[in-house]
Amino acid sequence: MARTLAMILAGGAGTRLFPLTQSRTKPAVPFAGGLRLVDLVLNNFVNSDLLKIYLLTQFKSQSLNIHLRQAWYLSGLTGNFIDAIPAQMRMGKRWYEGTADAIYQNIRLIEQHDPDNVCIFGSDHIYKMNVRQMVRYHEKSGAALTVCATRVPISEAHRFGVIEVDENFRMTGFEEKPAHPKPLPGNPNMALVSMGNYVFDAQVLYKSLYADAEDKLSSHDFGHDIIPKLYKDKQVQVYDFTQNTIPGEIHNHYWRDVGTLYSFWEAHMDLLACEPQFELNNEKWPLRSFHPPVPSARILADEGGHHSTILNSLISSGCKIVGSRVERSVLGFNVHLGAGSRLHECVILGKAHIGAGSYLNRVIADKGVCIAPGTEVGVNPLQDKARGLTVTEEGLTVIAKGMKVGFE
């Protein structure tokens, strides 16, 4: 395991999460009140005791860089590190042109460590995984590449790389984002898809990247170019995510791609069940992050003696809730609710001021949002659009960072 290096792709623009990605890269988007999306993959590696990690950044990375410095600094004295590597045009005057090109442009970083295995993971999925178990599976099988896979409904499979395997879970087919995904044998409602997590034999990775870089017709992407060629000539194994075990948990193998505003909101709602599929509280698998120096949350009655009511919600430190009702909502750090305000199925990322008597229904609010007293958001879609807010097809209203609403 000491000869395993991790390369985490953390440069995504996250256009489908706009306006949450208006001023930050997708991996830096806050999640679950006190985390960032990038924290999920980093905790998976750190809890797996794999501590040689590069994060490749590109778009709007300043917020991410600050977070990594505050939350994920490792002393170099041990030989372990978590380092952010910005796009530096090492191979010419161009930015990363695909996931494979991002690794290729940093291939010298990999070669200088001379690893046996290279883990290449994304940074924008919600899941827990003992990466060490996947690396062991890869080494035991002797594969050139191991791809981690899970099962999703066939209706969603067109968003992923769809995999076919034989009885030994060796890859026999792969199609990236097909219009008509192939279902699992015997189960027409489900498909086996790539999670975008790979363990490469280092020598195979080098050869594949150099060959891909010379291919003028390639899009330089692992899903579109590297994997479809590799499985035909080399042994590519598929690691079944449902075989992974996490200490201290009933293993339901939750995994969600939060690539859209609705899936981002759904992932938060998943946290609010009495027995959530994704458990935040596990002392044997802690979810580390940076927590600002703010006081404990305060839940108060207003001056008229009206008590606050909190139902199935997550409330972060620094919040002040005065005579308000919060139902099935997630509040990040330093959210202040005025007397008589009501929140229903909302995700407030932090540092928000919501005026007295306001009502927010199925709203995602970025940091620094200010809502005028008595304002309704998420009730009248036409009114929300007229205010410059984003309204999704599913009926969510999204307030961009720093916006003031209802102060007309």
Side-chain angles (χ1 to χ4, degrees):
M1 294 296 168
R3 296 183 60 78
T4 296
L5 179 70
M7 305 290 284
I8 296 177
L9 299 167
T15 54
R16 292 182 299 164
L17 276 181
F18 189 88
L20 303 183
T21 52
Q22 186 173 30
S23 61
R24 61 170 78 88
T25 185
K26 183 179 177 182
V29 172
F31 178 74
L35 302 169
R36 305 266 184 155
L37 291 181
V38 73
D39 291 330
L40 280 303
V41 67
L42 286 175
N43 277 296
N44 286 335
F45 275 92
V46 170
N47 287 333
S48 302
D49 199 27
L50 296 172
L51 299 173
K52 292 179 172 61
I53 303 169
Y54 285 121
L55 290 99
L56 307 186
T57 66
Q58 183 164 224
F59 298 104
K60 303 175 185 177
S61 61
Q62 182 61 18
S63 177
L64 178 62
N65 291 335
I66 292 172
H67 175 71
L68 294 172
R69 185 176 69 247
Q70 291 175 323
W72 293 102
Y73 172 74
L74 285 181
S75 170
L77 295 177
T78 63
N80 297 323
F81 57 87
I82 299 176
D83 287 348
I85 307 297
Q88 300 176 67
M89 298 187 179
R90 292 175 182 268
M91 301 296 186
K93 294 184 178 181
R94 58 186 174 86
W95 299 114
Y96 300 147
E97 296 178 347
T99 55
D101 184 58
I103 302 299
Y104 171 70
Q105 289 201 38
N106 292 281
I107 200 168
R108 299 288 184 268
L109 287 176
I110 303 174
E111 291 174 333
Q112 72 183 19
H113 288 278
D114 191 26
D116 293 333
N117 310 305
V118 181
C119 298
I120 300 173
F121 277 49
S123 58
D124 49 14
H125 296 143
I126 309 303
Y127 68 110
K128 295 180 185 180
M129 177 181 173
N130 189 326
V131 185
R132 182 176 287 259
Q133 293 173 14
M134 181 178 174
V135 174
R136 285 197 185 115
Y137 174 87
H138 169 78
E139 291 184 332
K140 185 177 180 180
S141 70
L145 162 65
T146 299
V147 178
C148 191
T150 191
R151 295 158 181 80
V152 301
I154 195 72
S155 60
E156 300 176 13
H158 66 279
R159 297 164 44 206
F160 308 102
V162 178
I163 298 170
E164 295 175 84
V165 296
D166 63 16
E167 63 276 8
N168 296 315
F169 260 69
R170 179 167 178 167
M171 185 180 291
T172 59
F174 184 88
E175 191 174 4
E176 181 72 2
K177 298 181 180 179
H180 304 287
K182 293 182 180 179
L184 283 166
N187 189 348
N189 298 318
M190 301 293 287
L192 186 67
V193 304
S194 168
M195 294 167 58
N197 296 343
Y198 316 123
V199 180
F200 274 90
D201 173 89
Q203 298 304 317
V204 172
L205 177 64
Y206 301 151
K207 292 177 182 178
S208 297
L209 292 178
Y210 281 119
D212 180 74
E214 294 176 0
D215 185 354
K216 303 302 182 183
L217 300 178
S218 175
S219 60
H220 310 298
D221 182 81
F222 282 108
H224 282 107
D225 306 289
I226 301 292
I227 297 175
K229 294 176 183 177
L230 196 59
Y231 85 84
K232 296 175 183 177
D233 300 322
K234 301 282 187 180
Q235 179 186 348
V236 175
Q237 287 296 131
V238 176
Y239 178 70
D240 186 353
F241 179 54
T242 64
Q243 301 303 306
N244 199 262
T245 59
I246 300 295
E249 295 200 3
I250 299 172
H251 307 295
N252 50 39
H253 304 100
Y254 181 92
W255 180 78
R256 184 181 282 277
D257 176 10
V258 287
T260 66
L261 290 167
Y262 187 66
S263 63
F264 179 78
W265 176 84
E266 278 189 313
H268 281 89
M269 296 302 104
D270 288 344
L271 301 173
L272 303 179
C274 292
E275 296 183 2
Q277 297 180 61
F278 187 84
E279 179 57 69
L280 296 173
N281 302 317
N282 181 356
E283 294 180 358
K284 296 181 179 180
W285 198 266
L287 296 178
R288 303 167 185 82
S289 188
F290 171 73
H291 294 269
V294 294
S296 302
R298 290 188 290 168
I299 316 296
L300 308 170
D302 63 18
E303 292 181 352
H306 301 101
H307 294 283
S308 294
T309 302
I310 313 294
L311 300 173
N312 294 55
S313 298
L314 295 177
I315 311 297
S316 301
S317 300
C319 289
K320 182 179 179 182
I321 300 173
V322 181
S324 302
R325 181 182 178 89
V326 181
E327 183 177 0
R328 285 183 52 77
S329 296
V330 178
L331 276 58
F333 300 114
N334 292 325
V335 175
H336 293 181
L337 304 185
S341 57
R342 293 176 294 150
L343 270 62
H344 176 254
E345 295 189 341
C346 293
V347 179
I348 314 297
L349 299 191
K351 295 182 180 178
H353 289 266
I354 298 173
S358 298
Y359 175 53
L360 276 62
N361 177 57
R362 290 164 61 94
V363 169
I364 302 174
D366 206 336
K367 290 185 176 182
V369 164
C370 190
I371 308 294
T375 302
E376 290 187 344
V377 183
V379 176
N380 186 331
L382 293 179
Q383 183 181 48
D384 289 342
K385 289 179 181 179
R387 289 168 167 162
L389 309 182
T390 299
V391 179
T392 71
E393 293 180 356
E394 300 85 1
L396 299 176
T397 300
V398 186
I399 309 174
K401 188 174 184 179
M403 284 192 71
K404 298 182 184 298
V405 182
F407 290 92
E408 298 86 1

